[in-house]
Coordinates of all heavy atoms in Angstrom, one line a residue:
G11 N -166.5 127.2 83.7 CA -167.4 126.6 84.5 C -166.7 126.1 85.8 O -165.5 126.1 86.0
G12 N -167.6 125.6 86.7 CA -167.0 125.2 88.0 C -168.0 125.2 89.1 O -169.2 125.1 88.8
L13 N -167.6 125.0 90.3 CA -168.6 125.0 91.5 C -168.7 126.4 92.1 O -167.7 127.1 92.2 CB -168.0 124.0 92.5 CG -167.8 122.6 92.1 CD1 -167.0 121.8 93.3 CD2 -169.1 121.9 91.8
V14 N -169.9 126.8 92.4 CA -170.1 127.9 93.1 C -171.4 127.9 93.9 O -172.2 127.1 93.6 CB -170.4 129.1 91.9 CG1 -171.6 128.9 91.0 CG2 -170.4 130.5 92.4
Q15 N -171.4 128.7 94.9 CA -172.5 128.7 95.8 C -173.6 129.5 95.2 O -173.4 130.5 94.4 CB -172.1 129.4 97.3 CG -171.1 128.5 98.0 CD -170.8 129.0 99.4 OE1 -170.9 130.3 99.6 NE2 -170.4 128.2 100.2
P16 N -175.0 129.3 95.7 CA -176.0 130.1 95.3 C -175.7 131.5 95.5 O -175.2 132.0 96.6 CB -177.2 129.5 96.2 CG -176.8 128.1 96.4 CD -175.3 128.1 96.6
G17 N -176.0 132.4 94.6 CA -175.8 133.8 94.6 C -174.5 134.3 94.0 O -174.3 135.5 94.0
G18 N -173.6 133.4 93.8 CA -172.3 133.7 93.3 C -172.4 133.8 91.9 O -173.4 133.9 91.2
S19 N -171.2 134.1 91.2 CA -171.1 134.3 89.9 C -170.0 133.7 89.1 O -169.1 133.2 89.8 CB -170.7 136.0 89.7 OG -171.7 136.8 90.1
L20 N -170.1 133.4 87.8 CA -169.2 132.8 87.0 C -169.2 133.5 85.7 O -170.3 134.0 85.2 CB -169.5 131.4 86.7 CG -169.3 130.3 88.0 CD1 -169.8 129.0 87.5 CD2 -167.8 130.3 88.3
R21 N -168.1 133.5 85.0 CA -168.1 134.0 83.5 C -167.6 132.9 82.7 O -166.4 132.5 82.8 CB -167.2 135.3 83.4 CG -167.4 135.8 82.0 CD -166.5 137.1 81.9 NE -165.1 136.8 81.8 CZ -164.2 137.8 81.2 NH1 -164.6 138.9 80.8 NH2 -162.9 137.5 81.1
L22 N -168.4 132.5 81.8 CA -168.1 131.5 80.8 C -167.4 132.2 79.4 O -167.9 133.3 79.1 CB -169.2 130.6 80.3 CG -170.0 130.0 81.5 CD1 -171.1 129.2 81.0 CD2 -169.1 129.2 82.4
S23 N -166.5 131.6 78.9 CA -165.9 132.1 77.6 C -166.1 131.0 76.7 O -166.0 129.7 76.9 CB -164.4 132.4 77.8 OG -164.2 133.4 78.8
C24 N -166.2 131.4 75.4 CA -166.3 130.6 74.2 C -165.4 131.2 73.2 O -165.6 132.2 72.6 CB -167.7 130.5 73.7 SG -167.9 129.7 72.1
V25 N -164.3 130.5 72.8 CA -163.2 130.9 71.9 C -163.4 130.1 70.7 O -163.5 128.9 70.7 CB -161.9 130.7 72.5 CG1 -160.9 131.1 71.5 CG2 -161.8 131.5 73.8
A26 N -163.5 130.8 69.6 CA -163.6 130.1 68.2 C -162.4 130.0 67.4 O -161.4 131.0 67.6 CB -164.7 130.8 67.4
S27 N -162.2 129.0 66.7 CA -161.1 128.9 65.8 C -161.5 128.1 64.5 O -162.5 127.4 64.6 CB -159.9 128.0 66.4 OG -160.4 126.6 66.7
G28 N -160.8 128.4 63.5 CA -161.1 127.8 62.2 C -162.1 128.5 61.5 O -162.4 128.3 60.3
F29 N -162.6 129.7 61.9 CA -163.5 130.5 61.2 C -163.5 132.0 61.9 O -163.1 132.1 63.1 CB -165.0 130.0 61.2 CG -165.6 129.7 62.5 CD1 -166.4 130.6 63.1 CD2 -165.4 128.4 63.2 CE1 -166.9 130.5 64.3 CE2 -165.9 128.3 64.4 CZ -166.8 129.2 64.9
T30 N -164.0 132.9 61.2 CA -164.1 134.3 61.8 C -165.4 134.4 62.5 O -166.4 134.3 61.9 CB -163.9 135.3 60.6 OG1 -162.6 135.0 59.9 CG2 -164.0 136.7 61.2
L31 N -165.3 134.7 63.9 CA -166.5 134.8 64.6 C -167.3 135.9 64.2 O -168.5 135.9 64.4 CB -166.0 135.0 66.0 CG -167.1 134.8 67.1 CD1 -167.6 133.3 67.1 CD2 -166.5 135.0 68.5
D32 N -166.9 136.9 63.6 CA -167.6 138.0 62.9 C -168.9 137.6 62.2 O -170.0 138.3 62.2 CB -166.8 139.0 62.3 CG -165.5 139.5 62.9 OD1 -164.7 138.6 63.1 OD2 -165.3 140.7 63.0
F33 N -168.7 136.5 61.7 CA -169.8 136.1 60.6 C -170.9 135.3 61.3 O -171.7 134.6 60.6 CB -169.2 135.4 59.4 CG -168.4 136.3 58.6 CD1 -166.9 136.3 58.7 CD2 -169.0 137.2 57.7 CE1 -166.2 137.1 57.9 CE2 -168.1 138.1 57.0 CZ -166.7 137.9 57.0
Y34 N -170.7 135.0 62.5 CA -171.7 134.1 63.3 C -172.3 134.7 64.3 O -171.7 135.4 65.2 CB -170.9 132.9 63.7 CG -170.2 132.0 62.6 CD1 -169.0 132.3 62.0 CD2 -170.9 130.9 62.2 CE1 -168.4 131.6 61.0 CE2 -170.5 130.1 61.2 CZ -169.2 130.4 60.7 OH -168.7 129.7 59.6
A35 N -173.6 134.4 64.5 CA -174.4 134.5 65.8 C -173.9 133.4 66.7 O -173.7 132.3 66.3 CB -175.8 134.6 65.6
I36 N -173.9 133.6 68.0 CA -173.4 132.7 68.9 C -174.4 132.6 70.0 O -175.0 133.5 70.6 CB -172.1 133.1 69.7 CG1 -171.0 133.3 68.6 CG2 -171.7 132.0 70.7 CD1 -170.7 132.0 67.9
G37 N -174.8 131.2 70.2 CA -175.8 131.0 71.4 C -175.1 130.2 72.5 O -174.1 129.4 72.3
W38 N -175.6 130.5 73.8 CA -175.3 129.7 74.8 C -176.5 128.7 75.1 O -177.7 129.3 75.2 CB -174.9 130.4 76.0 CG -173.6 131.0 76.0 CD1 -173.2 132.3 75.7 CD2 -172.4 130.4 76.4 NE1 -171.9 132.4 75.7 CE2 -171.3 131.3 76.2 CE3 -172.1 129.2 76.9 CZ2 -169.9 131.0 76.4 CZ3 -170.7 128.8 77.1 CH2 -169.8 129.7 77.0
F39 N -176.3 127.5 75.4 CA -177.2 126.5 75.7 C -176.8 125.8 77.0 O -175.6 125.9 77.4 CB -177.3 125.5 74.6 CG -178.0 126.1 73.4 CD1 -177.1 126.7 72.5 CD2 -179.2 126.0 72.9 CE1 -177.4 127.2 71.2 CE2 -179.7 126.6 71.8 CZ -178.8 127.2 70.9
R40 N -177.9 125.1 77.6 CA -177.5 124.3 78.9 C -178.4 123.1 78.9 O -179.5 123.1 78.3 CB -177.6 125.3 80.1 CG -179.0 125.6 80.5 CD -178.9 126.5 81.7 NE -180.3 126.8 82.2 CZ -180.7 127.8 83.1 NH1 -179.6 128.3 83.7 NH2 -181.8 128.1 83.3
Q41 N -177.9 122.1 79.4 CA -178.6 120.8 79.5 C -178.4 120.3 81.0 O -177.2 120.0 81.3 CB -178.2 119.8 78.5 CG -179.1 118.6 78.5 CD -179.0 117.9 77.3 OE1 -178.1 117.9 76.7 NE2 -180.1 117.0 77.0
A42 N -179.4 120.2 81.9 CA -179.1 119.6 83.1 C -179.6 118.1 82.9 O -180.3 117.7 82.0 CB -180.2 120.3 84.1
P43 N -179.2 117.2 83.9 CA -179.5 115.9 83.9 C -180.9 115.6 83.8 O -181.7 116.2 84.6 CB -178.8 115.3 85.1 CG -177.7 116.2 85.4 CD -178.2 117.6 85.0
G44 N -181.3 114.8 82.8 CA -182.8 114.6 82.7 C -183.6 115.4 82.1 O -184.8 115.4 82.0

């Protein structure tokens, strides 16, 4: 994450530990203030 101008791009990463990711579906969620 970070600051970016409109029209720009970012790549988010989610790294798992403590379990094998192969056995899980992964979702991305977001929450804006309010």
Side-chain angles (χ1 to χ4, degrees):
L13 299 172
V14 64
Q15 293 184 334
S19 298
L20 289 172
R21 188 177 75 161
L22 307 183
S23 298
C24 173
V25 180
S27 63
F29 60 96
T30 303
L31 193 60
D32 307 56
F33 296 102
Y34 294 85
I36 301 295
W38 282 99
F39 297 80
R40 66 186 182 186
Q41 188 165 24

